Amino acid sequence: MLDIIEAIKRASIHIYNELKLGETELSKNKNTSGDEQLKIDVISDDIIEYELRQANAVKAIISEEKEELKTINPNGRYLVGYDPIDGSSLIDVNQSVGSIFGIYENDFSGVNLRAAAYAIYGPKLELVIA
């Protein structure tokens, strides 16, 4: 599981730096909830997927920005569900936003939640892991 936490840490630092660039325009896509995606939603989703692919323990991922579950490593142990930028509609009014992660074993049910993390991107980056 440590490799997953390290991947989340790297992704959070990268996203924090991307947010400073101000890619807050709308993309031409909608996410699975029907919300219009900002470019930073798409960029953040790509960053997290890239970093989680480096973690051998990750079996599959699913994101608010993806249509379906993506298998990363069939021999992996954990499933990771995440929202790459929660609250992205608040970026233009200079409010803090964050990334939310759930790490599960076997399936995405509450009894199988093994760890959770969130990153808050505000005046400083904060990462909390439980």
Side-chain angles (χ1 to χ4, degrees), residues 86-97:
D86 186 54
S88 60
S89 63
L90 300 173
I91 291 173
D92 284 343
V93 292
N94 204 28
Q95 296 291 316
S96 295
V97 296

Side-chain angles (χ1 to χ4, degrees), residues 45 48-49 52 61-64 66 80-84 100-101:
D45 194 47
I48 293 170
E49 180 178 338
L52 290 175
I61 60 173
I62 193 157
S63 159
E64 182 186 29
K66 292 183 180 359
V80 182
Y82 61 94
D83 184 349
I100 304 169
F101 303 87

